[in-house]
């Protein structure tokens, strides 16, 4: 392949839209172009990368016994309504692109395919003798992201491999889950990526267990908390830890004392003015949960004053507390004063709320439920005596106790965000360490959530019908390509791992006006191709400096520079990853590159690092 025929257009400066190195480099290197917000065209160089990643994914999926298929991107709302996810994915800030067709039927462009595949399983899988079975596809997916950013990291259209497995029992599901875990580790290793597997929240997909695979990178959106020995790692959404003990509150007596606290409406202001430690206080957060099948539910959350609320854990706790009858949780947001007034309710003392805020304040609400859902993090529930709001303006209680609270104790759940430096729950002698990562894969044990909702049953060995057990396994193919750049780049440009590089070798002719250099460059290009190497020839009439900068930018693993030494039969061999350079005889080039690239191919093919 010749650069002159590649439609390669590189950029000197970083595009204004790009925020992180990988996004900048893929745009500058001519790998992709933005068509609309969160929508990109994959240009020939990037398509070669994506094709290689897809080939590795296919090989490893096929090795597990999974069968490749292709499911429709356009899906009927009726399937999603049966699973209970249509409202959650389309209402409010839902991420599904949806439309109404000519026959007034609601349809959606699939961000995922649990409903479709389960409906097919219900039709095709009838007996335990057909199980287990796994299906996978590599397909374009769609997400109506509110704020698309970071290029392929958070786009509105992307390429994904998603697999689904069906089983007769939970034990068999766990076996496939483990095989998929092993396959994913091989895939990422073969792609030349350093990844860490972490415990994760199952989110809108659901299920009893899930694990994310993170490419470690400074620009990663996810915070990973892990133990120093590597035995524990979790996304912060899921991570648990042992918080530092609270400082005991010393009170004058056994009773509760009211304290005048004008203008002290935050934990920081209260502690600064009164000399309390944040861990001696309970902060109360007021939120409104909107569900698909129920009235909006006011939620009262109690958290120890030195802790941070984890929105994901809170959403899970709210959903579990309200139950399936409330439908999908659509939104969970702080209650604002104007919302209280629009419900026809009197003003509440925001900033001085206590856990004992009475349900009578909700009497007469126009559209809300008329009682609070009360939740407390364990750090707050374990306090014997604490400082909290008195439910009156500019007033707090000192020495408050749960036993004396009107309305009884709230439901206790893990609602706090684990933090770096806190003790590890599994081994308190270790402290959690923080790193950042980019999610490139996620595997789930779905259990029977979808098979029960869509009535996908099979006949077991006893002749009885029961729901199928299911697993789900996803890899972001296009995201993985950009994550590789984020992990493998320097100040000059991309440094592709050999296995997924668009080409393995680039031959750069320093002077297109020198017939000796041109002839040698052409000869080496042809010899390398005949030797089975993927080679790109920069035959443009540009200056040598421009060609060298472009070669560094696009990141081909090996560069052969045909320059002034061509007259004596010598060229310069450059390894992009390490920058090592050496002069070699032209007749040695093919042999040397076969050795280096062959060794890299072998290591990557076996998944060794």
């Amino acid at each position: 392949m010749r650069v002159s025929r590649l439609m390669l257009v590189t950029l000197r400066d970083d595009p204004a839209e790009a925020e992180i190195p990988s996004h900048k480099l893929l745009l500058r290197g001519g790998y992709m172009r933005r068509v609309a917000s969160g929508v990109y065209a994959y240009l020939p160089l990037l398509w070669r990368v994506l094709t290689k990643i897809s080939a590795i994914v296919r090989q490893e999926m096929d090795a597990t016994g999974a069968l490749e298929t292709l499911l429709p991107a356009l899906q009927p709302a009726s399937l999603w309504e049966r699973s209970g996810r249509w409202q959650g994915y389309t209402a409010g800030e839902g991420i599904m692109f949806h439309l109404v067709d000519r026959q007034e039927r609601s349809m959606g462009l699939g961000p995922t395919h649990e409903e479709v595949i389960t409906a097919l399983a219900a039709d095709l899988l009838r007996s335990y003798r057909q199980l287990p079975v796994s299906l996978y596809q590599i397909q374009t997916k769609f997400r109506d992201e509110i704020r698309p950013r970071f290029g392929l990291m958070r786009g509105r259209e992307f390429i994904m491999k998603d697999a689904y497995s069906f089983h007769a029992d939970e034990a068999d599901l766990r076996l496939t889950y483990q095989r998929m875990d092993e396959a994913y580790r091989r895939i990422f290793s073969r792609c030349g990526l350093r990844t860490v597997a972490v415990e994760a929240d199952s989110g809108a997909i659901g299920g009893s267990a899930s694990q994310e695979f993170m490419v470690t990178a400074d620009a990663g959106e996810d915070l990973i908390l892990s133990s120093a020995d590597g035995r524990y790692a979790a996304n912060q959404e899921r991570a648990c830890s042992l918080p530092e003990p609270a400082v005991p509150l010393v009170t004058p007596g056994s009773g509760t004392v009211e304290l005048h606290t004008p203008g002290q409406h935050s934990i920081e202001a209260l502690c600064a003015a009164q000399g309390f430690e944040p861990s001696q206080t309970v902060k109360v957060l007021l939120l409104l949960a909107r569900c698909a099948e129920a009235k909006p539910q006011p939620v009262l959350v109690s958290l120890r004053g030195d802790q941070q609320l984890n929105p994901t854990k809170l959403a899970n706790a709210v959903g579990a507390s309200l139950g399936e009858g409330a439908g999908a949780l659509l939104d969970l947001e702080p209650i604002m004063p104007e919302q209280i007034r629009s419900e026809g309710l009197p003003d509440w003392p925001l900033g001085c709320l206590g856990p004992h805020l009475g349900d009578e304040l909700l009497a007469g609400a126009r559209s809300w439920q008329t009682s609070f859902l009360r939740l407390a993090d364990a750090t707050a529930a374990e306090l014997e005596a604490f400082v909290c709001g008195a439910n009156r303006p500019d007033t707090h209680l000192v020495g408050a106790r749960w036993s004396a609270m009107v309305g009884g104790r709230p439901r206790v759940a893990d609602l706090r965000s684990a933090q770096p430096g806190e003790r590890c729950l599994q081994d308190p002698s270790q402290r959690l360490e923080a790193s950042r990562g980019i999610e490139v894969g996620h595997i789930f044990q779905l259990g029977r959530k979808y098979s029960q909702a869509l009535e996908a049953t099979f006949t077991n060995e006893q002749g009885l019908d029961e729901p199928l057990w299911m697993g789900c396994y996803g890899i972001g193919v296009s995201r993985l390509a950009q994550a590789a750049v984020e992990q493998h780049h320097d100040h000059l440009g991309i440094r592709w791992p050999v296995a997924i590089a668009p080409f393995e070798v680039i031959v750069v002719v320093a002077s297109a006006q020198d017939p000796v250099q041109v002839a040698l460059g052409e000869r080496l290009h042809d010899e390398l191709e005949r030797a089975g190497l993927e080679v790109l020839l920069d035959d443009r009439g540009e200056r040598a400096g421009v060609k060298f900068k472009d070669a560094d930018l696009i990141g081909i693993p090996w560069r052969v520079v045909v320059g002034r030494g061509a007259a004596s039969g010598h060229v310069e061999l450059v390894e992009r990853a390490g920058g090592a350079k050496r002069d070699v005889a032209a007749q040695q080039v093919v042999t040397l590159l076969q050795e280096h690239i062959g060794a890299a191919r072998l290591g990557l093919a076996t998944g060794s690092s």
Side-chain angles (χ1 to χ4, degrees):
M1 175 62 72
R2 299 168 185 271
V3 173
S4 61
R5 303 298 301 275
L6 194 57
M7 202 174 72
L8 178 65
V9 177
T10 58
L11 304 176
R12 178 178 299 178
D13 300 318
D14 292 335
E17 69 183 87
E19 300 178 57
I20 60 175
S22 56
H23 189 191
K24 297 173 183 177
L25 292 172
L26 287 174
L27 289 171
R28 286 186 54 213
Y31 281 87
M32 65 185 193
R33 281 293 183 270
R34 180 179 181 272
V35 176
S37 176
V39 180
Y40 290 86
Y42 310 129
L43 299 179
L45 279 178
L46 184 55
W47 187 245
R48 290 179 67 93
V49 173
L50 295 172
T51 299
K52 288 187 172 185
I53 293 172
S54 297
I56 291 172
V57 170
R58 281 191 172 94
Q59 290 166 13
E60 294 296 344
M61 286 295 100
D62 291 347
T64 68
L67 306 171
E68 186 169 9
T69 186
L70 185 61
L71 303 173
L74 192 63
Q75 305 180 23
S78 57
L79 290 178
W80 287 71
E81 287 167 347
R82 289 175 63 190
S83 72
R85 295 205 299 173
W86 179 254
Q87 284 294 321
Y89 269 74
T90 60
E93 296 184 355
I95 62 168
M96 180 186 278
F97 286 102
H98 54 286
L99 54 94
V100 177
D101 68 12
R102 297 175 187 273
Q103 284 74 42
E104 300 298 320
R105 293 173 298 203
S106 294
M107 310 285 286
L109 288 175
T112 184
H113 278 75
E114 283 79 13
E115 283 78 5
V116 170
I117 198 73
T118 307
L120 289 172
D123 184 42
L124 299 173
L125 301 177
R126 302 296 179 85
S127 168
Y128 72 93
R129 294 186 180 90
Q130 296 173 272
L131 302 172
V133 63
S134 299
L135 300 166
Y136 78 94
Q137 63 171 345
I138 299 176
Q139 196 209 54
T140 297
K141 305 273 191 178
F142 303 88
R143 287 172 62 98
D144 191 6
E145 289 282 359
I146 299 171
R147 289 174 293 277
R149 60 189 306 206
F150 302 150
L152 305 181
M153 295 295 190
R154 192 191 292 177
R156 304 171 80 195
E157 179 178 316
F158 53 95
I159 300 174
M160 183 175 175
K161 186 284 299 180
D162 49 325
Y164 306 90
S165 63
F166 298 91
H167 310 269
D169 55 54
E170 188 174 15
D172 192 56
L173 165 60
R174 290 173 178 166
L175 287 174
T176 295
Y177 184 84
Q178 181 60 37
R179 282 195 291 269
M180 289 294 183
D181 173 281
E182 295 165 357
Y184 272 41
R185 293 171 192 266
R186 290 193 299 271
I187 287 169
F188 300 132
S189 178
R190 290 182 60 185
C191 288
L193 298 176
R194 300 184 304 276
T195 59
V196 57
V198 304
E199 293 181 12
D201 181 73
S202 296
I205 302 295
S208 59
S210 75
Q211 182 173 253
E212 288 176 340
F213 294 84
M214 297 283 192
V215 169
T216 53
D218 291 339
E221 287 191 277
D222 293 288
L223 184 67
I224 303 169
L225 297 176
S226 57
S227 58
D229 63 4
R231 296 176 62 187
Y232 176 79
N235 189 314
Q236 192 180 37
E237 292 180 345
R238 176 70 181 267
C240 299
S241 64
L242 293 172
E244 295 303 315
V247 177
L249 179 66
V250 178
T251 57
S254 59
T256 301
V257 178
E258 287 192 358
L259 185 65
H260 186 51
T261 54
Q264 299 162 29
H265 297 159
S266 68
I267 297 296
E268 294 78 11
L270 176 68
C271 291
Q274 304 296 335
F276 298 124
E277 292 293 331
S279 65
Q280 297 172 325
T281 68
V282 168
K283 56 185 172 185
V284 174
L285 308 175
L286 194 59
L287 303 104
L288 189 67
R290 299 184 187 276
C291 299
E293 305 295 336
K295 290 182 178 181
Q297 173 66 63
V299 182
L300 205 64
V301 179
S302 298
L303 196 67
R304 204 172 79 185
D306 63 332
Q307 301 299 312
Q308 300 298 315
L309 182 67
N310 185 313
T312 300
K313 292 181 179 180
L314 176 62
N316 290 340
V318 170
S321 299
L322 296 179
E324 294 183 0
L329 179 62
L330 305 179
D331 194 17
L332 188 59
E333 60 183 6
I335 293 179
M336 307 305 291
E338 55 269 22
Q339 292 176 291
I340 297 172
R341 289 192 289 271
S342 69
E343 281 293 304
L345 302 174
D347 289 340
W348 298 348
L350 302 179
C352 294
L353 296 179
H356 56 302
L357 189 68
D359 289 340
E360 65 272 9
L361 290 178
L362 291 170
R366 292 169 179 163
S367 62
W368 296 352
Q369 303 281 4
T370 55
S371 62
F372 290 107
L373 170 61
R374 300 172 188 271
L375 299 172
D377 182 69
T379 55
E382 291 167 358
L383 292 175
E384 184 176 341
F386 50 88
V387 179
C388 68
N391 294 326
R392 290 197 305 279
D394 297 330
T395 308
H396 281 76
L397 300 179
V398 181
R401 299 173 185 272
W402 291 107
S403 58
M405 289 286 170
V406 176
R409 298 179 70 91
R411 299 184 186 184
V412 179
D414 177 17
L415 304 176
R416 60 180 288 273
S417 285
Q419 299 295 328
E422 292 179 338
R423 291 172 297 156
C424 186
L425 192 64
Q426 289 74 11
D427 181 359
S429 68
Q430 298 194 60
R431 299 276 176 173
L432 292 178
E433 300 176 350
S435 60
R436 303 211 70 86
I438 300 165
E439 180 192 344
V440 291
H442 203 156
I443 59 177
F444 305 80
Q445 293 182 39
L446 296 177
R448 292 171 156 181
K449 172 181 176 178
Y450 295 95
S451 57
Q452 288 175 336
L454 280 84
E455 300 178 343
T457 63
F458 72 100
T459 303
N460 62 23
E461 291 187 70
Q462 290 73 42
L464 303 175
D465 286 347
E466 62 173 295
L468 292 158
W469 290 85
M470 290 178 60
C472 171
Y473 320 91
I475 287 179
V477 173
S478 49
R479 173 180 272 219
L480 191 154
Q482 185 171 329
V485 177
E486 198 61 48
Q487 196 173 75
H488 296 281
H489 73 274
D490 59 18
H491 67 288
L492 298 175
I494 302 169
R495 301 190 302 183
W496 288 111
V498 170
I500 61 174
F503 294 92
E504 295 166 330
V505 185
I506 181 169
V507 177
V508 178
V509 177
S511 175
Q513 284 71 46
D514 185 332
V516 175
Q517 293 184 27
V518 171
L520 182 56
E522 294 276 359
R523 192 189 91 200
L524 288 172
H525 169 267
D526 294 345
E527 289 177 355
L528 289 165
E529 274 198 340
R530 285 196 295 271
L533 301 179
E534 298 172 353
V535 58
L536 181 63
L537 173 64
D538 194 343
D539 58 340
R540 296 175 297 171
E542 298 283 356
R543 300 188 313 274
V546 172
K547 293 182 179 182
F548 295 155
K549 285 185 177 180
D550 280 351
D552 283 331
L553 177 61
I554 64 177
I556 308 304
W558 290 92
R559 180 163 82 233
V560 179
V561 180
V562 182
R564 294 176 181 176
S568 60
H570 284 77
V571 297
E572 183 181 57
L573 190 60
V574 183
E575 184 181 12
R576 178 68 184 91
K581 302 177 181 180
R582 57 172 165 159
D583 290 328
V584 299
Q587 61 265 30
Q588 294 179 298
V589 168
V590 172
T591 301
L592 287 172
L593 287 176
Q594 281 182 316
E595 291 175 356
H596 287 296
I597 294 173
R601 284 177 175 175
L602 179 62
L604 292 167
T606 58
S608 62
S609 55

